[in-house]
Amino acid sequence: MEKARGKNFRFTLTTNGILIDDDVIDFANREMSNVVLSLDGRKEIHDRLRVDKAGNGSWERIVPKFQKMVQARGGKNYYMRGTFTHANPDFLKDIQCMLDLGFTELSMEPVVCAPGDPAALTEADRAIVMEQYEELARLMLRREREGRPFTFYHYMIDLAGGPCIYKRISGCGSGTEYMAVTPWGDLYPCHQFVGEESYKLGNIWDGVTNTALREEFRSCNAYSRSECADCWARLYCSGGCAANAYHASGSIRGVYEAGCELFRKRIECAIMVKAVQSMGGERS
Protein backbone atom coordinates (compact mmCIF):
# COMPACT_ATOMS: atom_id res chain seq x y z
CA MET A 1 0.00 0.00 0.00
CA GLU A 2 2.83 2.43 0.76
CA LYS A 3 4.23 2.09 -2.77
CA ALA A 4 0.77 2.54 -4.24
CA ARG A 5 0.26 5.74 -2.30
CA GLY A 6 3.53 7.09 -3.60
CA LYS A 7 2.32 6.60 -7.15
CA ASN A 8 -0.99 8.37 -6.48
CA PHE A 9 -3.00 5.23 -7.15
CA ARG A 10 -6.69 5.42 -6.28
CA PHE A 11 -8.37 2.40 -4.79
CA THR A 12 -12.07 1.67 -4.88
CA LEU A 13 -13.87 -1.00 -2.92
CA THR A 14 -17.09 -2.31 -4.44
CA THR A 15 -19.27 -4.42 -2.16
CA ASN A 16 -22.80 -5.76 -1.82
CA GLY A 17 -22.54 -5.49 1.94
CA ILE A 18 -23.03 -9.07 3.13
CA LEU A 19 -19.40 -9.50 4.22
CA ILE A 20 -18.91 -6.03 5.71
CA ASP A 21 -17.76 -6.06 9.32
CA ASP A 22 -15.80 -3.66 11.53
CA ASP A 23 -12.47 -4.83 10.08
CA VAL A 24 -13.65 -4.20 6.51
CA ILE A 25 -14.99 -0.78 7.50
CA ASP A 26 -11.73 0.19 9.20
CA PHE A 27 -9.59 -1.02 6.28
CA ALA A 28 -11.75 0.54 3.57
CA ASN A 29 -11.99 3.88 5.31
CA ARG A 30 -8.25 3.92 5.90
CA GLU A 31 -7.02 2.67 2.52
CA MET A 32 -9.77 3.26 -0.05
CA SER A 33 -10.18 6.65 -1.70
CA ASN A 34 -13.71 5.62 -2.70
CA VAL A 35 -16.18 2.89 -1.85
CA VAL A 36 -19.14 1.78 -3.95
CA LEU A 37 -21.99 0.19 -2.01
CA SER A 38 -24.65 -1.81 -3.85
CA LEU A 39 -28.20 -0.92 -2.85
CA ASP A 40 -31.11 -0.98 -5.28
CA GLY A 41 -33.27 1.33 -3.17
CA ARG A 42 -36.60 0.17 -1.79
CA LYS A 43 -36.52 -3.06 0.22
CA GLU A 44 -38.94 -4.86 -2.08
CA ILE A 45 -36.91 -3.86 -5.14
CA HIS A 46 -33.52 -4.65 -3.63
CA ASP A 47 -34.56 -8.03 -2.26
CA ARG A 48 -35.83 -9.25 -5.64
CA LEU A 49 -32.28 -9.92 -6.82
CA ARG A 50 -29.85 -9.12 -3.99
CA VAL A 51 -30.16 -12.35 -2.03
CA ASP A 52 -27.86 -14.62 -0.03
CA LYS A 53 -27.09 -18.26 -0.79
CA ALA A 54 -30.32 -19.30 0.91
CA GLY A 55 -32.33 -16.98 -1.30
CA ASN A 56 -33.15 -14.52 1.47
CA GLY A 57 -33.17 -10.79 0.79
CA SER A 58 -30.22 -8.79 2.10
CA TRP A 59 -31.71 -5.29 2.57
CA GLU A 60 -32.29 -5.41 6.33
CA ARG A 61 -28.80 -6.77 7.00
CA ILE A 62 -26.77 -4.49 4.77
CA VAL A 63 -28.44 -1.10 5.26
CA PRO A 64 -27.22 -0.68 8.88
CA LYS A 65 -23.72 -1.73 7.77
CA PHE A 66 -23.74 0.80 4.95
CA GLN A 67 -24.94 3.55 7.27
CA LYS A 68 -22.17 2.73 9.74
CA MET A 69 -19.52 2.67 7.02
CA VAL A 70 -20.57 5.97 5.46
CA GLN A 71 -20.73 7.70 8.82
CA ALA A 72 -17.26 6.40 9.71
CA ARG A 73 -15.75 7.63 6.43
CA GLY A 74 -15.70 11.16 7.75
CA GLY A 75 -16.47 12.84 4.45
CA LYS A 76 -14.37 10.62 2.17
CA ASN A 77 -15.96 9.66 -1.15
CA TYR A 78 -18.48 6.88 -1.49
CA TYR A 79 -21.31 6.00 -3.84
CA MET A 80 -24.55 4.25 -3.07
CA ARG A 81 -25.07 2.49 -6.37
CA GLY A 82 -28.22 0.75 -7.53
CA THR A 83 -29.54 -0.82 -10.73
CA PHE A 84 -33.05 -0.23 -12.03
CA THR A 85 -34.79 -2.84 -14.17
CA HIS A 86 -38.20 -3.58 -15.65
CA ALA A 87 -39.39 -3.95 -12.04
CA ASN A 88 -38.64 -0.32 -11.17
CA PRO A 89 -38.42 2.11 -14.08
CA ASP A 90 -39.87 4.55 -11.51
CA PHE A 91 -36.42 4.54 -9.90
CA LEU A 92 -36.84 7.98 -8.36
CA LYS A 93 -38.69 6.22 -5.53
CA ASP A 94 -35.51 4.25 -4.90
CA ILE A 95 -33.44 7.44 -4.95
CA GLN A 96 -35.82 8.90 -2.38
CA CYS A 97 -35.46 5.77 -0.25
CA MET A 98 -31.67 6.17 -0.26
CA LEU A 99 -32.02 9.82 0.73
CA ASP A 100 -34.39 8.89 3.56
CA LEU A 101 -31.75 6.45 4.82
CA GLY A 102 -29.22 9.28 5.01
CA PHE A 103 -27.18 8.62 1.88
CA THR A 104 -26.36 11.62 -0.31
CA GLU A 105 -23.81 10.40 -2.90
CA LEU A 106 -25.94 8.34 -5.24
CA SER A 107 -25.90 6.48 -8.53
CA MET A 108 -28.63 4.47 -10.27
CA GLU A 109 -27.72 2.57 -13.43
CA PRO A 110 -30.05 1.09 -16.04
CA VAL A 111 -29.85 -2.68 -16.33
CA VAL A 112 -27.97 -4.11 -19.31
CA CYS A 113 -29.12 -7.56 -20.38
CA ALA A 114 -30.45 -9.54 -23.31
CA PRO A 115 -33.72 -8.15 -24.78
CA GLY A 116 -35.67 -11.26 -23.76
CA ASP A 117 -34.54 -11.16 -20.15
CA PRO A 118 -37.40 -10.48 -17.70
CA ALA A 119 -35.34 -7.66 -16.18
CA ALA A 120 -34.80 -5.85 -19.50
CA LEU A 121 -36.22 -2.38 -19.90
CA THR A 122 -38.99 -2.21 -22.48
CA GLU A 123 -39.72 0.73 -24.76
CA ALA A 124 -42.53 1.75 -22.41
CA ASP A 125 -40.11 1.51 -19.46
CA ARG A 126 -37.61 3.79 -21.19
CA ALA A 127 -40.29 6.45 -21.63
CA ILE A 128 -40.90 6.34 -17.87
CA VAL A 129 -37.16 6.51 -17.20
CA MET A 130 -36.86 9.64 -19.34
CA GLU A 131 -39.49 11.34 -17.17
CA GLN A 132 -37.77 10.10 -14.03
CA TYR A 133 -34.48 11.70 -15.07
CA GLU A 134 -36.25 15.05 -15.44
CA GLU A 135 -37.97 14.68 -12.08
CA LEU A 136 -34.64 13.75 -10.52
CA ALA A 137 -33.08 16.97 -11.81
CA ARG A 138 -35.94 18.98 -10.31
CA LEU A 139 -35.57 17.13 -6.99
CA MET A 140 -31.84 17.92 -6.90
CA LEU A 141 -32.46 21.62 -7.47
CA ARG A 142 -35.28 21.76 -4.92
CA ARG A 143 -33.23 20.06 -2.20
CA GLU A 144 -30.27 22.30 -2.97
CA ARG A 145 -32.47 25.36 -2.36
CA GLU A 146 -33.62 23.78 0.89
CA GLY A 147 -30.04 23.24 2.05
CA ARG A 148 -30.26 19.44 1.64
CA PRO A 149 -28.15 18.81 -1.48
CA PHE A 150 -27.16 15.43 -2.84
CA THR A 151 -25.10 14.28 -5.78
CA PHE A 152 -26.10 11.97 -8.60
CA TYR A 153 -23.12 10.46 -10.37
CA HIS A 154 -24.42 10.88 -13.91
CA TYR A 155 -25.26 14.54 -13.42
CA MET A 156 -21.75 15.50 -12.32
CA ILE A 157 -20.33 17.36 -15.31
CA ASP A 158 -18.04 20.38 -15.55
CA LEU A 159 -19.08 22.75 -18.32
CA ALA A 160 -16.25 25.19 -17.63
CA GLY A 161 -13.32 22.78 -17.66
CA GLY A 162 -13.85 19.07 -17.26
CA PRO A 163 -11.62 16.19 -18.33
CA CYS A 164 -8.72 16.66 -20.72
CA ILE A 165 -9.28 15.76 -24.37
CA TYR A 166 -7.62 12.37 -23.92
CA LYS A 167 -10.10 11.40 -21.21
CA ARG A 168 -13.01 12.78 -23.22
CA ILE A 169 -12.01 10.42 -26.02
CA SER A 170 -10.89 7.36 -24.06
CA GLY A 171 -13.46 7.33 -21.26
CA CYS A 172 -13.01 5.17 -18.17
CA GLY A 173 -9.77 3.53 -19.31
CA SER A 174 -10.87 0.00 -18.50
CA GLY A 175 -8.25 -2.58 -19.45
CA THR A 176 -5.53 0.02 -19.86
CA GLU A 177 -5.58 2.59 -17.06
CA TYR A 178 -7.15 0.34 -14.46
CA MET A 179 -8.13 -3.27 -13.96
CA ALA A 180 -10.28 -5.35 -11.66
CA VAL A 181 -8.45 -7.76 -9.35
CA THR A 182 -10.33 -10.85 -8.21
CA PRO A 183 -9.83 -12.38 -4.74
CA TRP A 184 -7.82 -15.17 -6.39
CA GLY A 185 -5.49 -12.74 -8.18
CA ASP A 186 -6.79 -12.68 -11.75
CA LEU A 187 -6.86 -9.41 -13.69
CA TYR A 188 -9.81 -8.30 -15.82
CA PRO A 189 -10.49 -5.03 -17.70
CA CYS A 190 -13.18 -4.15 -15.13
CA HIS A 191 -15.43 -5.90 -12.63
CA GLN A 192 -18.12 -6.45 -15.26
CA PHE A 193 -15.84 -8.85 -17.17
CA VAL A 194 -14.90 -11.02 -14.21
CA GLY A 195 -15.58 -14.65 -15.05
CA GLU A 196 -15.34 -14.12 -18.82
CA GLU A 197 -12.21 -16.19 -19.41
CA SER A 198 -11.58 -14.73 -22.86
CA TYR A 199 -11.36 -11.30 -21.21
CA LYS A 200 -8.78 -12.23 -18.57
CA LEU A 201 -5.75 -9.96 -18.90
CA GLY A 202 -3.40 -11.88 -16.63
CA ASN A 203 -2.78 -12.16 -12.92
CA ILE A 204 -1.00 -10.35 -10.10
CA TRP A 205 2.01 -12.69 -10.27
CA ASP A 206 2.71 -12.55 -14.00
CA GLY A 207 1.15 -9.17 -14.77
CA VAL A 208 -0.69 -8.47 -18.02
CA THR A 209 -0.02 -11.37 -20.37
CA ASN A 210 -2.92 -10.89 -22.79
CA THR A 211 -1.42 -7.81 -24.40
CA ALA A 212 -3.55 -8.14 -27.56
CA LEU A 213 -6.69 -7.72 -25.45
CA ARG A 214 -5.17 -4.71 -23.71
CA GLU A 215 -4.53 -3.07 -27.08
CA GLU A 216 -8.08 -3.83 -28.17
CA PHE A 217 -9.39 -1.95 -25.14
CA ARG A 218 -6.94 0.86 -25.80
CA SER A 219 -8.48 1.37 -29.23
CA CYS A 220 -12.03 1.68 -27.88
CA ASN A 221 -12.85 5.38 -27.89
CA ALA A 222 -15.28 7.99 -29.16
CA TYR A 223 -13.84 7.83 -32.66
CA SER A 224 -13.68 4.05 -33.08
CA ARG A 225 -17.40 3.61 -33.74
CA SER A 226 -19.02 5.07 -36.84
CA GLU A 227 -22.34 5.30 -34.97
CA CYS A 228 -20.82 7.95 -32.68
CA ALA A 229 -19.67 10.29 -35.44
CA ASP A 230 -22.72 12.59 -35.41
CA CYS A 231 -23.69 12.23 -31.73
CA TRP A 232 -23.55 15.50 -29.79
CA ALA A 233 -22.80 13.64 -26.54
CA ARG A 234 -19.86 11.55 -27.74
CA LEU A 235 -17.25 13.53 -25.80
CA TYR A 236 -19.26 12.99 -22.61
CA CYS A 237 -19.62 9.21 -22.99
CA SER A 238 -16.32 8.66 -24.88
CA GLY A 239 -17.92 5.97 -27.00
CA GLY A 240 -19.78 4.33 -24.16
CA CYS A 241 -19.10 1.53 -21.71
CA ALA A 242 -17.16 -1.40 -23.19
CA ALA A 243 -18.88 -3.84 -20.85
CA ASN A 244 -22.34 -2.60 -21.78
CA ALA A 245 -21.45 -2.86 -25.45
CA TYR A 246 -20.18 -6.40 -24.95
CA HIS A 247 -23.23 -7.58 -23.02
CA ALA A 248 -25.62 -5.96 -25.49
CA SER A 249 -23.88 -6.78 -28.78
CA GLY A 250 -21.23 -9.40 -28.05
CA SER A 251 -18.39 -7.02 -28.88
CA ILE A 252 -16.66 -4.26 -26.92
CA ARG A 253 -16.70 -2.30 -30.18
CA GLY A 254 -20.47 -2.64 -30.47
CA VAL A 255 -23.08 -0.03 -29.60
CA TYR A 256 -25.71 -0.35 -26.90
CA GLU A 257 -28.38 1.81 -28.56
CA ALA A 258 -30.85 1.86 -25.66
CA GLY A 259 -28.02 2.91 -23.39
CA CYS A 260 -27.08 5.72 -25.77
CA GLU A 261 -30.63 7.05 -25.63
CA LEU A 262 -30.63 7.10 -21.83
CA PHE A 263 -27.14 8.57 -21.66
CA ARG A 264 -28.08 11.52 -23.87
CA LYS A 265 -31.08 12.19 -21.64
CA ARG A 266 -28.89 12.16 -18.53
CA ILE A 267 -26.47 14.65 -20.06
CA GLU A 268 -29.38 16.85 -21.17
CA CYS A 269 -30.69 16.90 -17.59
CA ALA A 270 -27.22 17.46 -16.16
CA ILE A 271 -26.77 20.51 -18.40
CA MET A 272 -30.17 21.79 -17.30
CA VAL A 273 -29.14 21.50 -13.64
CA LYS A 274 -25.90 23.39 -14.31
CA ALA A 275 -27.77 26.09 -16.23
CA VAL A 276 -30.22 26.66 -13.38
CA GLN A 277 -27.42 26.69 -10.82
CA SER A 278 -25.56 29.28 -12.88
CA MET A 279 -28.63 31.52 -12.60
CA GLY A 280 -28.68 31.14 -8.86
CA GLY A 281 -31.26 28.37 -8.81
CA GLU A 282 -34.06 30.70 -9.87
CA ARG A 283 -36.02 28.06 -11.78
CA SER A 284 -36.93 24.42 -11.38
Side-chain angles (χ1 to χ4, degrees), residues 129-145:
V129 170
M130 295 292 198
E131 295 176 354
Q132 293 285 284
Y133 280 137
E134 293 186 1
E135 288 299 321
L136 172 60
R138 296 187 184 99
L139 175 64
M140 291 181 69
L141 292 169
R142 183 167 66 251
R143 283 182 60 108
E144 183 176 29
R145 289 196 303 271

Side-chain angles (χ1 to χ4, degrees), residues 269-283:
C269 290
I271 291 173
M272 184 273 284
V273 170
K274 292 295 184 182
V276 173
Q277 290 173 336
S278 71
M279 296 186 293
E282 297 174 1
R283 300 178 184 178

Side-chain angles (χ1 to χ4, degrees), residues 116-127:
D117 192 297
L121 294 171
T122 66
E123 186 174 346
D125 291 336
R126 291 199 297 273

Side-chain angles (χ1 to χ4, degrees), residues 92-142:
L92 190 56
K93 294 179 181 178
D94 300 294
I95 291 285
Q96 188 62 62
C97 174
M98 294 179 187
L99 291 170
D100 292 342
L101 291 170
F103 304 119
T104 57
E105 298 183 34
L106 312 179
S107 174
M108 282 291 286
E109 307 271 356
V111 67
V112 179
C113 55
D117 192 297
L121 294 171
T122 66
E123 186 174 346
D125 291 336
R126 291 199 297 273
I128 296 172
V129 170
M130 295 292 198
E131 295 176 354
Q132 293 285 284
Y133 280 137
E134 293 186 1
E135 288 299 321
L136 172 60
R138 296 187 184 99
L139 175 64
M140 291 181 69
L141 292 169
R142 183 167 66 251

Side-chain angles (χ1 to χ4, degrees), residues 180-197:
V181 185
T182 68
W184 45 94
D186 289 332
L187 303 176
Y188 288 88
C190 84
H191 68 282
Q192 295 189 76
F193 287 97
V194 170
E196 299 280 354
E197 286 300 306

Side-chain angles (χ1 to χ4, degrees), residues 32-282:
M32 301 293 171
S33 55
N34 188 30
V35 296
V36 180
L37 308 170
S38 296
L39 182 71
D40 287 338
R42 292 165 284 176
K43 181 181 185 301
E44 62 271 22
I45 294 297
H46 178 92
D47 283 350
R48 292 183 73 257
L49 298 175
R50 309 275 189 173
V51 298
D52 60 19
K53 289 185 177 181
N56 299 313
S58 59
W59 196 93
E60 291 186 351
R61 281 175 289 167
I62 66 172
V63 165
K65 294 181 180 183
F66 286 166
Q67 290 172 320
K68 183 177 182 179
M69 182 177 232
V70 168
Q71 184 176 13
R73 282 190 71 72
K76 293 177 69 175
N77 287 347
Y78 73 93
Y79 270 103
M80 195 59 55
R81 183 203 182 282
T83 300
F84 60 83
T85 70
H86 177 61
N88 61 321
D90 57 343
F91 69 89
L92 190 56
K93 294 179 181 178
D94 300 294
I95 291 285
Q96 188 62 62
C97 174
M98 294 179 187
L99 291 170
D100 292 342
L101 291 170
F103 304 119
T104 57
E105 298 183 34
L106 312 179
S107 174
M108 282 291 286
E109 307 271 356
V111 67
V112 179
C113 55
D117 192 297
L121 294 171
T122 66
E123 186 174 346
D125 291 336
R126 291 199 297 273
I128 296 172
V129 170
M130 295 292 198
E131 295 176 354
Q132 293 285 284
Y133 280 137
E134 293 186 1
E135 288 299 321
L136 172 60
R138 296 187 184 99
L139 175 64
M140 291 181 69
L141 292 169
R142 183 167 66 251
R143 283 182 60 108
E144 183 176 29
R145 289 196 303 271
E146 296 169 353
R148 301 182 299 148
F150 69 96
T151 59
F152 183 66
Y153 179 77
H154 292 296
Y155 287 6
M156 296 177 67
I157 61 173
D158 184 349
L159 299 180
C164 66
I165 188 61
Y166 175 79
K167 290 302 296 179
R168 287 184 179 273
I169 293 172
S170 62
C172 69
S174 60
T176 56
E177 296 176 39
Y178 79 86
M179 294 172 286
V181 185
T182 68
W184 45 94
D186 289 332
L187 303 176
Y188 288 88
C190 84
H191 68 282
Q192 295 189 76
F193 287 97
V194 170
E196 299 280 354
E197 286 300 306
S198 60
Y199 281 89
K200 186 163 69 174
L201 285 163
N203 57 63
I204 59 174
W205 297 278
D206 303 317
V208 175
T209 55
N210 193 344
T211 55
L213 179 62
R214 181 183 62 193
E215 294 308 307
E216 184 176 358
F217 272 84
R218 194 188 305 278
S219 67
C220 282
N221 56 61
Y223 293 104
S224 65
R225 299 172 176 86
S226 59
E227 295 90 342
C228 300
D230 296 323
C231 178
W232 63 267
R234 66 184 180 278
L235 295 184
Y236 287 105
C237 80
S238 309
C241 170
N244 286 358
Y246 170 70
H247 290 122
S249 71
S251 169
I252 63 173
R253 293 177 177 274
V255 173
Y256 176 42
E257 294 182 3
C260 294
E261 179 185 17
L262 296 181
F263 185 92
R264 283 191 290 268
K265 186 62 177 181
R266 290 196 296 264
I267 295 299
E268 174 188 314
C269 290
I271 291 173
M272 184 273 284
V273 170
K274 292 295 184 182
V276 173
Q277 290 173 336
S278 71
M279 296 186 293
E282 297 174 1

